[in-house]
Amino acid sequence: MNFDVFFLFLNATITVLVAVGIVLRILRKEYLPVIKKHEQDGSDVVDGQ
Amino acid sequence: MAITVFIVALTVYAIVGAFVARRVRSSADFFVMDERAPTILIVGTLAATYLSAVTLLGIAGISYTEGPLVIAATGSFGSWIGIMLAVLYVGRKLKGLGCRTMPDFFRNRFQSKAVTTLATLIMIIGLLGYGVIQLIGAGLVLEEITGISFPIIIVAFVIALMVFSALGGMYGVVVTDTLMFFTMLAVAAVIAPFIISKAGFADMKALGDSMPGYWSLAGAQGRAMSFTVSQFLVWVIFMTCSPAMVSRVFPAKNDFVILKAAGIGVFLAAAMQIPIFLAASAMQVIEPGIEQADRVMLIAFIEHVPGVMGGIGLAALMAAIMSTASTLFVLAGFGLSHDLYENLKKDSLSERDKMRVSRIAQIVIGVVVAIIAIAQPAGIYWISIYAAAIFGVGWLPTVVAGLEWRRMNHKAALASMIVGVSVFVLFTELTRLSYITLPAYATPLIIAFSSAIVALIVVALVTTPLAAEAEYFEKIRNASSSAKTISGILIKANGLQELKRQYRQVQWIMGVVVVLALSVFGLLAVKLAF
């Protein structure tokens, strides 16, 4: 195996995985609690009004 | 064919830009597209701005002569990380604070005309230096293949650029960028794979036998490891706070658009660049011995692919030049009107005057760019050396400390920017003129970046922030791009359902991005590494 070539594609893949990981973490930390809270509080119709 | 493509591509881009300009009715439209841009436009402008003439000419040339890993595995890797940080960290935070331009952040955070003026001057010099030198390089290449004289090419480019920047502002730039993005995507997804398949993976791998080191990080010329490391650092530092990248986030419709654009944009940056570098290496099999290596992709388009593909390839090269240049010039125009003129003027401008001043500023920038590009003064090459690094050493420490450190204040910002830029210029010149020789890993950029951080910390520790600075810092702590998006969606009827739908859509798109990344990069790794 040519490690240097593998390194290029590993870098590209890791960068994408890290970016996706950060996006998913933002969703879990900043959006999911709000969604759960509103689901517990009642219907979204109330929120909308 | 080259002349036809040149004329048709410029005309199409200008017509689209002029058509889009009709929708610009307010300064919010002009500066940030009234924050209405959907994911496709943010991804399009991000990818199109990222892929410049440097990718298709300069780095493609290095990939041809030295091997595709020399820049791709280090410098490009750094820039992919830089894009991620620019969008998800700096851009998202500044968008949450309601900034229309990056100097808006300096003005609000430090409440100092001196800081805003210095930051804006650094931005204008950096953007123009980087943009004009690309325009000159690409113009010289196009002069050779089209036979059209260099001044006419530059004037044609600048007029087309002014149509969508002076009339359409950010609206015009974002839409035309997206149009150009599709021609560049055609090169990465169709034309580059065609060239690679023509050469064959086996023959490409065999280049390592005839040219030792061709498939290594050091390349066929055996570059030192310090070059590899410094390339990586330069591009991470530059991209993270480059206004060209960060400002792509400001027109986004909401936070979900930013999140989707970040995942897709980082994938596309790598997935569009790597095939181009590999195609340039494939040309070493198809046509070895090209002396002017930076023209390798042009030769590939003109001589080694079917006519239609070649035409699209040339249009993509022009798109790469124009999309990057349009963003750089529109931001320089914003800097001149919004950040310098409005900042230094005592009375606030009416909405109509803001638009008028901004359009005049775009025309001024266009005329200045044309004059500099045609005259090609020696100084422009000097400026271009510093253009890429100037944001890293001048802005990055101040932006990060401004966002994260309560003690950060205008005096520390001034000290950091002045020390960073001065030390960088001083050490680069002393090294260039051979007065000093630096150790391998101590590049002028690293020394200047470290000096800027030290100056910032020392001055911040011995001074106290103003009350207004402390107040704005609290606003930063509480500002959130997601909170604004959540409240904007929940206020609608069926708001919760809409929020959940968008939440699941981002998760689903991220899943697709991961599958695509593993498939594309995995396939290429299997073909070339084993």
Side-chain angles (χ1 to χ4, degrees):
Chain A
M1 184 183 80
N2 182 332
F3 180 76
D4 287 10
V5 175
F6 184 73
F7 183 68
L8 166 67
F9 297 110
L10 184 70
N11 289 345
T13 309
I14 285 175
T15 313
V16 173
L17 291 178
V18 170
V20 167
I22 293 172
V23 168
L24 294 178
R25 190 168 184 276
I26 290 169
L27 287 177
R28 280 178 65 90
K29 288 269 176 191
E30 299 180 24
Y31 288 92
L32 194 58
V34 178
I35 291 172
K36 282 188 172 169
K37 182 176 175 294
H38 278 77
E39 278 179 337
Q40 281 170 358
D41 286 352
S43 76
D44 55 325
V45 177
V46 175
D47 295 310
Q49 292 169 346
Chain B
M1 181 182 77
I3 295 174
T4 311
V5 171
F6 178 77
I7 294 168
V8 171
L10 270 186
T11 310
V12 168
Y13 296 144
I15 288 172
V16 172
F19 182 76
V20 168
R22 297 193 318 172
R23 302 188 63 166
V24 176
R25 294 191 177 88
S26 66
S27 66
D29 282 336
F30 198 79
F31 286 114
V32 286
M33 228 183 140
D34 202 22
E35 299 186 69
R36 280 181 293 167
T39 309
I40 179 70
L41 291 185
I42 299 299
V43 169
T45 188
L46 195 63
T49 303
Y50 174 66
L51 280 189
S52 66
V54 174
T55 296
L56 278 165
L57 298 174
I59 307 179
I62 294 173
S63 299
Y64 174 80
T65 50
E66 298 184 43
L69 307 184
V70 179
I71 303 292
T74 56
S76 298
F77 175 40
S79 62
W80 304 331
I81 293 174
I83 292 174
M84 179 177 76
L85 294 171
V87 175
L88 285 175
Y89 175 58
V90 183
R92 194 165 169 263
K93 283 228 175 196
L94 266 52
K95 165 97 171 164
L97 288 164
C99 297
R100 282 182 170 187
T101 65
M102 280 190 80
D104 270 352
F105 171 73
F106 290 90
R107 176 172 35 249
N108 297 333
R109 174 65 176 87
F110 302 113
Q111 314 275 331
S112 157
K113 286 194 174 180
V115 171
T116 311
T117 305
L118 182 60
T120 308
L121 287 175
I122 287 174
M123 183 178 84
I124 292 175
I125 293 170
L127 291 175
L128 288 185
Y130 192 61
V132 171
I133 204 71
Q134 284 208 40
L135 206 57
I136 292 173
L140 289 171
V141 174
L142 285 170
E143 178 187 36
E144 201 175 295
I145 63 162
T146 60
I148 301 170
S149 76
F150 178 77
I152 292 174
I153 287 176
I154 295 298
V155 170
F157 263 127
V158 169
I159 289 173
L161 288 171
M162 274 177 15
V163 167
F164 46 85
S165 61
L167 295 178
M170 188 62 86
Y171 214 129
V173 168
V174 166
V175 174
T176 47
D177 269 7
T178 305
L179 181 71
M180 296 177 197
F181 156 72
F182 285 107
T183 55
M184 290 185 251
L185 188 63
V187 171
V190 180
I191 302 172
F194 180 88
I195 296 166
I196 294 166
S197 68
K198 200 169 179 178
F201 283 114
D203 284 352
M204 283 174 68
K205 283 166 80 173
L207 286 170
D209 301 329
S210 55
M211 301 170 76
Y214 196 81
W215 288 103
S216 70
L217 294 178
Q221 288 182 14
R223 300 240 188 192
M225 186 51 103
S226 56
F227 173 83
T228 303
V229 174
S230 68
Q231 276 293 307
F232 173 76
L233 291 174
V234 164
W235 286 101
V236 173
I237 291 170
F238 168 56
M239 283 288 171
T240 301
C241 70
S242 158
M245 287 296 123
V246 173
S247 66
R248 302 303 79 203
V249 169
F250 299 154
K253 189 164 66 179
N254 59 35
D255 195 41
F256 286 120
V257 169
I258 299 173
L259 298 179
K260 284 183 273 184
I264 300 169
V266 169
F267 165 69
L268 282 177
M272 288 172 74
Q273 254 189 329
I274 292 174
I276 293 170
F277 298 154
L278 291 178
S281 297
M283 282 295 291
Q284 188 65 252
V285 174
I286 296 167
E287 187 178 331
I290 296 172
E291 285 189 5
Q292 289 177 302
D294 60 351
R295 283 145 213 220
V296 62
M297 291 309 290
L298 281 169
I299 293 170
F301 296 149
I302 293 169
E303 296 176 15
H304 297 288
V305 299
V308 176
M309 278 193 195
I312 294 171
L314 287 177
L317 171 66
M318 289 174 55
I321 301 160
M322 292 182 73
S323 58
T324 305
S326 66
T327 298
L328 299 177
F329 299 151
V330 88
L331 292 177
F334 288 176
L336 201 59
S337 61
H338 179 72
D339 302 313
L340 273 187
Y341 183 78
E342 286 186 44
N343 183 41
L344 296 175
K345 202 171 182 301
K346 282 181 183 168
D347 307 323
S348 60
L349 295 176
S350 67
E351 186 71 6
R352 197 177 161 180
D353 283 343
K354 274 185 187 177
M355 296 274 289
R356 192 172 54 84
V357 169
S358 299
R359 287 189 161 134
I360 292 170
Q362 295 298 331
I363 293 167
V364 170
I365 292 290
V367 172
V368 169
V369 163
I371 291 170
I372 296 174
I374 292 168
Q376 293 184 46
I380 187 61
Y381 294 100
W382 185 83
I383 290 171
S384 74
I385 295 170
Y386 304 110
I390 204 167
F391 297 111
V393 298
W395 274 22
L396 189 56
T398 298
V399 170
V400 174
L403 287 169
E404 304 293 344
W405 194 22
R406 196 179 299 273
R407 286 196 71 99
M408 183 61 186
N409 60 63
H410 64 285
K411 288 175 184 156
L414 275 177
S416 177
M417 286 193 281
I418 292 169
V419 168
V421 174
S422 309
V423 169
F424 182 71
V425 173
L426 180 71
F427 274 85
T428 306
E429 287 303 299
L430 288 176
T431 314
R432 191 173 66 86
L433 298 169
S434 303
Y435 285 121
I436 56 168
T437 306
L438 295 171
Y441 286 93
T443 62
L445 181 104
I446 299 301
I447 294 170
F449 189 63
S450 311
S451 307
I453 293 173
V454 170
L456 183 151
I457 292 172
V458 170
V459 176
L461 286 175
V462 298
T463 54
T464 312
L466 301 169
E469 290 178 308
E471 198 178 305
Y472 194 76
F473 182 77
E474 286 309 312
K475 189 181 171 189
I476 293 173
R477 307 306 292 175
N478 297 323
S480 155
S481 188
S482 58
K484 207 169 150 189
T485 297
I486 289 168
S487 60
I489 293 175
L490 284 180
I491 205 164
K492 296 176 188 168
N494 291 324
L496 183 57
Q497 292 305 321
E498 174 63 15
L499 191 65
K500 283 161 77 176
R501 189 188 68 77
Q502 297 228 27
Y503 179 91
R504 282 194 295 267
Q505 190 189 56
V506 179
Q507 281 183 315
W508 181 80
I509 289 173
M510 290 305 111
V512 172
V513 166
V514 169
V515 171
L516 281 173
L518 290 173
S519 308
V520 173
F521 303 138
L523 176 73
L524 288 170
V526 168
K527 292 284 184 188
L528 289 165
F530 295 97

